[in-house]
Each structure stands twice: as structure tokens, then as C-alpha cells.
Amino acid sequence: MGRSGNSGSLGTGSDARRLKQRLESLAAAGVTDLPRSKVKTVATQAHHRDPVPVPLAADRTPRSPLTHDELQRRSGVLAVLSQEVATCRRCEELACGRTQTVFGAGPVDARICFLGEAPGADEDASGQPFVGRAGELLTKIIESCTLTRNQVYILNVLKCRPPQNRPPLPAEVANCRGYFHKQLEIVDPDYICCLGTTAAQALLESTETIGKLRKRWFTHNKAQVICTYHPSYLLRNPSAKRDVWEDMKMLMSQLGVQLP
Ligand code: URA
């Protein structure tokens, strides 16, 4: 039976797989609740968040934890947004080529967000941001900052994979702008780290190169923004890892964490 005839059940194996992937991506994006009429099972799946986030060492500006109600509220708003993104067809070429949208991953109360460019093949297949080679490197970067991936929120400017991983077109960035802005507004981080030119230029609405945007602080709403090279660039230019390390030291020292 085709998908359209399956509204009351999980349907075929591939339908079930798709639904499972969608639920997993919602859970990873911090969505702990969905409107009751939609998908009830996500609420149970989504409680797989790391139990207790490790406090940031020597945090100079600790935040009080959010109330349960506030966490639920943020989670609900993210769920609605994620559903809107999943059905978005503003960029026809991207919508036709995608397996699924890649919304984001991480706790809804993360203090640090990493903003990337767009999903690649691995992300398009899994529904999760930064899970391919660049993602492995990003994980290492996060861990060298004495953090874990479960403590940070990871999202991209575009929610769909561009064909052959080409850079996003200005019109595509414009179409997705409302989505990543809203995500950042909901998570409301203290720090945003832009990974690469596309993320930095899109968030800061700048035309300056990443080289010029590095080593400076910017603001986006209440968040302090720092820019560094994209992990994919580091895979091609390993010598730039040293620069990224300097940028991470600058970020973490704002939090009172002195990296070696
Ligand atoms: N590159 C990105 O910018 N984002 C991803 O999710 C993966 C690779």
C-alpha cells in the first residue's frame, strides 16, 4: 500500500523507517512533546536526553536551570517549527532532491549553538546534522572544549541538502532565514559559533570573508557570536586546525574555561 493510503497505521517497512527517523530527529532536536493529534509516541522516545548535563568547568556566568514548564514550552514550539520545516517546499530544487529535512539536534536550553551550512549526504540520509566526516571532526572540536555534543545545540542555515553539496544560493538562505532565526530564538543560547563563511555571513548579514570575521565578537539578539572555519574546510586544510583551536580558546575563555 502507498503512503497516502496509510494514514491510520505505520504502513510499509519503509514508512515505519521514515517515521522512526523523523521521531529520532525530533528527539535529537530537543523536541520532547508533540501536539496530541499528531504523533503521540515521540513523547516517550524523546526523553533520551543525557540525564544531567555536565556543568561547564569554572563557568563565570552560570544560568539558573529552566523550569519544567519552560522546557516543555520550548520543546513544543520547536516541534511545531520542525513540522513546518519538514513540509517546506520554498526551494523547489532542494525539496525535490532531499530524502528528508535536517532540523537540528541538542537540548532546548543549550548555552552554546553551533551553526553550520547545510546537510550533506550523511545528514540527508539520517536526518541528523553533522554526522559525516565533518561531523566527526566537529564532535572532536566540541570535546576538546571539554563539552559533549549533548550539551550543545547544532543546526544549519539550510535544512535541505543542496545538490552535490554545492554552496547554498542567496535565495535559499533567504528562504531558510526565518527557520534558523526562530530556532535560535527558541533555544536562546548565550553563545553562537558560526562554522564557515555561509553560516557567518548568513547570521551576521555580512559579505566579509570568514578570515575577516574570525577573532572578533558579534551579537545576535542576546547571544555573543564567534566565527571559525567550517570542519569540512579543516578536512581539506588541516593546518587551519590551529586557527580553530585559537577560536575555541576565545569562546571558552568567555565561559571561564581556559583551554591549554
Ligand atoms: N556540513 C554542514 O554544514 N552541516 C552538516 O550538517 C554537515 C556538514
Side-chain angles (χ1 to χ4, degrees), residues 102 116-120 123 128-131 134 156 230 232:
V102 179
E117 178 174 304
E123 292 77 21
Q128 295 301 315
F130 281 99
V131 291
N156 285 306
H230 191 285
S232 300

CSV table of all heavy atoms in Angstrom, one decimal, residues 102 116-120 123 128-131 134 156 230 232, ligand 1:
chain,number,residue,atom,x,y,z
A,102,VAL,N,16.7,18.3,7.6
A,102,VAL,CA,17.5,18.1,8.8
A,102,VAL,C,17.3,19.3,9.7
A,102,VAL,O,17.8,20.4,9.3
A,102,VAL,CB,19.0,17.9,8.4
A,102,VAL,CG1,19.9,17.7,9.6
A,102,VAL,CG2,19.1,16.8,7.4
A,116,GLY,N,26.0,25.5,11.3
A,116,GLY,CA,26.7,25.1,10.1
A,116,GLY,C,26.0,25.6,8.8
A,116,GLY,O,25.1,26.4,8.8
A,117,GLU,N,26.4,25.0,7.7
A,117,GLU,CA,25.9,25.5,6.4
A,117,GLU,C,24.7,24.8,5.9
A,117,GLU,O,23.6,25.4,5.8
A,117,GLU,CB,27.1,25.3,5.4
A,117,GLU,CG,26.7,25.7,4.0
A,117,GLU,CD,27.9,25.6,3.0
A,117,GLU,OE1,29.0,26.2,3.3
A,117,GLU,OE2,27.8,24.9,2.0
A,118,ALA,N,24.8,23.5,5.6
A,118,ALA,CA,23.7,22.7,5.1
A,118,ALA,C,24.0,21.2,5.2
A,118,ALA,O,25.1,20.8,5.3
A,118,ALA,CB,23.5,23.1,3.6
A,119,PRO,N,22.9,20.4,5.2
A,119,PRO,CA,23.2,19.0,5.3
A,119,PRO,C,23.9,18.4,4.1
A,119,PRO,O,23.8,19.0,3.0
A,119,PRO,CB,21.8,18.4,5.4
A,119,PRO,CG,20.8,19.5,5.6
A,119,PRO,CD,21.5,20.7,5.2
A,120,GLY,N,24.7,17.4,4.3
A,120,GLY,CA,25.4,16.7,3.3
A,120,GLY,C,24.7,15.4,3.1
A,120,GLY,O,23.6,15.2,3.6
A,123,GLU,N,23.9,13.4,6.4
A,123,GLU,CA,22.8,14.1,7.2
A,123,GLU,C,21.5,14.0,6.5
A,123,GLU,O,20.5,13.7,7.2
A,123,GLU,CB,23.2,15.6,7.3
A,123,GLU,CG,24.4,15.9,8.2
A,123,GLU,CD,25.7,15.6,7.5
A,123,GLU,OE1,25.8,15.6,6.2
A,123,GLU,OE2,26.8,15.4,8.2
A,128,GLN,N,20.0,13.9,10.8
A,128,GLN,CA,20.7,14.5,11.9
A,128,GLN,C,21.8,15.4,11.3
A,128,GLN,O,22.5,15.0,10.3
A,128,GLN,CB,21.4,13.4,12.7
A,128,GLN,CG,20.5,12.5,13.5
A,128,GLN,CD,19.5,13.3,14.4
A,128,GLN,OE1,20.0,14.2,15.1
A,128,GLN,NE2,18.3,13.0,14.4
A,129,PRO,N,22.1,16.5,12.0
A,129,PRO,CA,23.1,17.4,11.5
A,129,PRO,C,24.5,16.9,11.9
A,129,PRO,O,24.7,16.3,12.9
A,129,PRO,CB,22.9,18.8,12.2
A,129,PRO,CG,22.2,18.3,13.5
A,129,PRO,CD,21.4,17.1,13.2
A,130,PHE,N,25.5,17.2,11.0
A,130,PHE,CA,26.9,16.9,11.3
A,130,PHE,C,27.1,15.4,11.8
A,130,PHE,O,27.6,15.2,12.9
A,130,PHE,CB,27.5,17.9,12.3
A,130,PHE,CG,27.8,19.2,11.7
A,130,PHE,CD1,27.0,20.3,11.7
A,130,PHE,CD2,29.0,19.4,11.0
A,130,PHE,CE1,27.3,21.5,11.1
A,130,PHE,CE2,29.3,20.6,10.4
A,130,PHE,CZ,28.4,21.7,10.4
A,131,VAL,N,26.8,14.5,11.0
A,131,VAL,CA,27.1,13.1,11.3
A,131,VAL,C,28.1,12.4,10.4
A,131,VAL,O,28.5,11.3,10.6
A,131,VAL,CB,25.8,12.2,11.4
A,131,VAL,CG1,24.9,12.6,12.5
A,131,VAL,CG2,25.0,12.3,10.0
A,134,ALA,N,32.8,15.5,8.4
A,134,ALA,CA,32.9,16.9,9.0
A,134,ALA,C,32.2,16.8,10.4
A,134,ALA,O,32.7,17.5,11.4
A,134,ALA,CB,32.2,17.9,8.1
A,156,ASN,N,21.8,24.0,11.1
A,156,ASN,CA,22.4,24.5,9.9
A,156,ASN,C,21.6,25.7,9.4
A,156,ASN,O,20.4,25.8,9.7
A,156,ASN,CB,22.4,23.4,8.8
A,156,ASN,CG,23.5,22.4,9.0
A,156,ASN,OD1,24.6,22.7,9.1
A,156,ASN,ND2,23.1,21.1,9.1
A,230,HIS,N,34.9,26.2,8.9
A,230,HIS,CA,34.0,25.0,8.8
A,230,HIS,C,34.8,23.7,8.9
A,230,HIS,O,35.9,23.6,8.3
A,230,HIS,CB,33.2,25.0,7.5
A,230,HIS,CG,32.1,24.1,7.5
A,230,HIS,ND1,32.3,22.7,7.3
A,230,HIS,CD2,30.7,24.3,7.6
A,230,HIS,CE1,31.1,22.1,7.3
A,230,HIS,NE2,30.1,23.0,7.5
A,232,SER,N,34.6,21.0,7.4
A,232,SER,CA,34.9,20.5,6.0
A,232,SER,C,36.1,21.2,5.4
A,232,SER,O,36.9,20.5,4.8
A,232,SER,CB,33.7,20.7,5.0
A,232,SER,OG,32.6,20.1,5.5
B,1,URA,N1,28.2,20.4,6.9
B,1,URA,C1,27.3,21.2,7.4
B,1,URA,O1,27.4,22.4,7.3
B,1,URA,N2,26.3,20.8,8.1
B,1,URA,C2,26.1,19.5,8.3
B,1,URA,O2,25.1,19.1,8.9
B,1,URA,C3,27.0,18.6,7.7
B,1,URA,C4,28.1,19.1,7.0
